[in-house]
Each structure stands twice: as structure tokens, then as C-alpha cells.
Amino acid sequence: MASDPPLNRTLVPLLTSPGGSLSDDDAQFLLVPIHIVTHASQLPAEFLYPSVDRQLIIGFDCEGVDLCRNGALCVMQLAFPDAVYLVDAVEGGKALMQACKPALESSYITKVIHDCKRDSEALYFQFGIKLHNVVDTQIAYSLIEEQEGRKRSPDDYISFVGLLADPRYGGKSYLEKEEVRVLLRQDPAYWTYRPMSEMMIRAAADDVRFLLYIYHKMMEKLNKRSLWHLAVRGSLYCRCFCINDNDFADWPRLPTLPDILAAEGYVPEEEILSVLNVPPGKMGRVIGKKGASIRSVKECCNAEILIGGAKGPPDKVFIIGPVMEVRKAEAILRGRMIDL
């Protein structure tokens, strides 16, 4: 099936653009087509058939209704240097998503994404896809901040809007994002409507068209140790909400320490994901009034602590970090569940 000529186009930053900030000068951008994909044949062959000889780096995101295990993934965005592909999971259905499965699980295709947790959960529970080999720009941002001596406070996660506004990674305002947020609040089924409106197409493309540029700016800053931690934490975040009965035995193995770091004598503490079951009626104790209890645990443990919340699962706490810090967080949280 031949792809129809694209009706929409967008501007992507040239990877050779000087400095960190992007001006509105068109010379810093390349006009590329936006392809609406409803059949696998409309996607590049090098994406559908991953190969060690043709490794790719792509921008990646998903849109949907209440995006999680129980929601509905509606659009998957893929940003290549010369085109943006909007994979229509509503029109293309499971057949189209299954055609994308090898690429999304491949070690040969790097998926650059901002906050992979819920996207990974939706892909896993709705389509059986184990998202692998991601570069999560939210994690990368935190690692760069640590490298440069700035300490992040608990729950101080940078949003994609905030990241893009940072002069080091674009210096671009993303005011249109709020337009879509307002529409989503008014109508949660916004991403299900077909044909996609011009605003839907623009919003979907906007969420990925800067990702490759941001990726290259971050790669210039991350040292070898941070790159290692980025790979491990990205893998753990992909697994985070995708709990199963076999302790992730069917998922790709976590990245091993590169030889160059081992040769330098670097011995990092193992980082793990722990899933803590919370008995009925005890989640209030874990969280505390206005989140005070869980916040105090985060402040004393060097680990990420995540609650399933409204999207679920509602009875579990997810802890990611070095083994000793994770065990400390587990012990404190279990203590708060005990009846006095």
C-alpha cells in the first residue's frame, strides 16, 4: 500500500543548530511531512524491521484517553529527522500496533521520550508490548542537574513544557499545550475522534518534533556514568507500572555495566524496582495528610517513590533506586502500615 501524500507539515529543529536556544529563524528548522498512519506499510521499513546495521534514534510519545492500563491508547507519535509519523491506533487497531511491536521492543531503535511510565503501561496491558531501549528526557534532565551540583527536591519532576523552555534545550515556549489540556478537561474523549482535526495533528506532532534536538543537547552534557544510570533507570521506569507474576522474567534484561566503566573501577550499587503491596485501608497512612508522610520518606531516602493513584494500581507503591535506599524506604513504609 503506497502512502498518501502528506497534507500536513511541521518544523523540526536542525540538529546542527548552534547553541542551546532556538530562535524563530526558519534557518534553524527543517520543514518535514506529517504522515497519518493507519496501515503498517505507511511506516519506514527500517522501523518495522529493526537491524543492527540500521540503528535508529526516534522521538516517541503516546496520546489517549486516561493513558494507562485501563485507558485507551489512541495515537503513537514517531519523530524521525525527516518526517513525523502519527500511528493511528483507533483506525489501525491492534494489527497496526502489533506491526510496531518489534521496533518498540528492539535494542536497535532508541526511543526518546519524556516520562515513559504510563506510555509503557498502556503499551504493555493494551497490546502486549514491552517498551525497551528508551532515553527518558525527564530522567536525563535530573542526571544532568546532579552532575552540575544541583540537588532536586522530591517530586520536582520537570515537565516537557518546562524542559523545552529551558534555554539549554530549546528555549521555546509551548503555549499550545495548554489549549489541548483545556480541551481534554472539557472532553476526555478528545483523542478518539476521527478524522483527526488540524489541532489534534499539530498537538500530536508538537509533542515529539523537538525530542531529537533535546536528545542531542543532552548527550553533549551527560558523562559516561550518567549515561549508564540513564539506561538502567529508563529500563526500570518502563517496567514500573507493568507488574506481572513472573518478576519481569520475560522482559529484556537490564543494561550491563559498560566495559569502559568497569575498567575504570566504577562499581555502582545495583538499582532495582520494588513493588510494595499496601493492605486495604492503609494507603492513607502511607501518603499522610496532604502527602506529608510520603514526602518525608522521599526526603530521607535516595529513591523514587511512586503511587499508582487514580490511574492505579491503587494498592501499590513503586520504589526505584539503589538497593540500600529502596530497602530503607520499604522498611519505613511498612512501619507506617502497622496498627499501633
Side-chain angles (χ1 to χ4, degrees):
M1 180 187 296
S3 176
D4 295 328
L7 300 176
N8 297 278
R9 296 181 181 276
T10 191
L11 292 167
V12 298
L14 293 169
L15 301 183
T16 55
S17 297
S21 295
L22 293 167
S23 71
D24 292 326
D25 181 4
D26 286 349
Q28 288 188 281
F29 292 86
L30 177 68
L31 186 65
V32 304
I34 302 173
H35 298 281
I36 310 297
V37 177
T38 57
H39 191 277
S41 63
Q42 296 167 299
L43 287 165
E46 59 267 30
F47 174 79
L48 293 173
Y49 307 105
S51 168
V52 66
D53 299 320
R54 189 74 183 271
Q55 300 196 33
L56 301 175
I57 302 170
I58 62 171
F60 179 81
D61 193 28
C62 297
E63 307 291 351
V65 180
D66 197 23
L67 197 63
C68 63
R69 69 186 62 200
N70 299 317
L73 192 156
C74 300
V75 183
M76 184 172 70
Q77 304 104 290
L78 311 172
F80 289 69
D82 58 355
V84 172
Y85 295 85
L86 305 183
V87 178
D88 189 344
V90 174
E91 293 288 332
K94 289 192 174 182
L96 175 57
M97 294 301 295
Q98 287 304 305
C100 297
K101 179 180 170 78
L104 300 180
E105 295 185 346
S106 175
S107 298
Y108 306 138
I109 299 181
T110 300
K111 281 70 68 173
V112 183
I113 183 173
H114 190 83
D115 191 4
C116 64
K117 297 186 292 294
R118 291 298 183 184
D119 301 68
S120 180
E121 180 187 19
L123 288 166
Y124 181 63
F125 285 101
Q126 294 176 39
F127 303 104
I129 294 170
K130 306 175 190 73
L131 186 61
H132 176 58
N133 193 25
V134 304
V135 168
D136 190 316
T137 54
Q138 191 174 71
I139 301 171
Y141 181 88
S142 295
L143 287 166
I144 292 170
E145 294 293 286
E146 289 176 20
Q147 275 186 199
E148 297 178 356
R150 291 183 284 274
K151 188 175 181 180
R152 181 175 65 83
S153 59
D155 296 328
D156 183 22
Y157 304 106
I158 191 157
S159 67
F160 181 64
V161 173
L163 178 63
L164 186 57
D166 189 315
R168 295 172 294 174
Y169 307 113
K172 297 285 289 183
S173 62
Y174 189 3
L175 301 177
E176 296 84 0
K177 186 75 172 176
E178 186 55 34
E179 293 180 51
V180 177
R181 285 179 177 152
V182 170
L183 290 171
L184 283 169
R185 285 194 291 269
Q186 294 172 346
D187 184 1
Y190 176 76
W191 287 109
T192 66
Y193 300 128
R194 297 296 181 272
M196 284 192 279
S197 67
E198 287 188 16
M199 178 176 280
M200 293 168 74
I201 293 169
R202 175 173 59 89
D206 281 349
D207 277 352
V208 293
R209 67 188 179 104
F210 292 101
L211 282 172
L212 292 182
Y213 179 84
I214 293 170
Y215 166 83
H216 284 281
K217 291 300 175 185
M218 288 183 155
M219 291 301 106
E220 293 172 358
K221 296 177 179 293
L222 288 161
N223 62 32
K224 289 179 291 186
R225 294 185 181 186
S226 292
L227 285 170
W228 153 246
H229 287 288
L230 176 61
V232 173
R233 290 178 195 174
S235 295
L236 292 173
Y237 273 65
C238 280
R239 299 179 183 201
C240 182
F241 295 126
C242 302
I243 51 175
N244 58 24
D245 296 329
N246 61 5
D247 196 27
F248 302 101
D250 57 339
W251 280 66
R253 294 178 59 187
L254 294 177
T256 55
L257 187 69
D259 292 341
I260 189 169
L261 287 178
E264 292 175 356
Y266 182 56
V267 184
E269 185 178 357
E270 180 187 7
E271 296 201 9
I272 62 170
L273 162 65
S274 173
V275 182
L276 197 62
N277 293 312
V278 179
K282 300 297 177 68
M283 187 60 81
R285 294 187 185 181
V286 169
I287 297 174
K289 188 175 182 180
K290 295 183 178 180
S293 179
I294 194 76
R295 188 163 53 250
S296 69
V297 181
K298 292 177 180 181
E299 288 171 350
C300 70
C301 300
N302 183 27
E304 299 289 346
I305 304 174
L306 304 158
I307 307 294
K311 289 186 175 182
D315 59 343
K316 299 188 187 317
V317 176
F318 303 87
I319 311 170
I320 296 174
V323 173
M324 294 299 293
E325 297 296 323
V326 169
R327 299 304 181 218
K328 181 166 75 170
E330 287 176 338
I332 297 172
L333 290 170
R334 286 195 178 101
R336 298 195 175 172
M337 299 176 205
I338 297 173
D339 291 320
L340 301 177

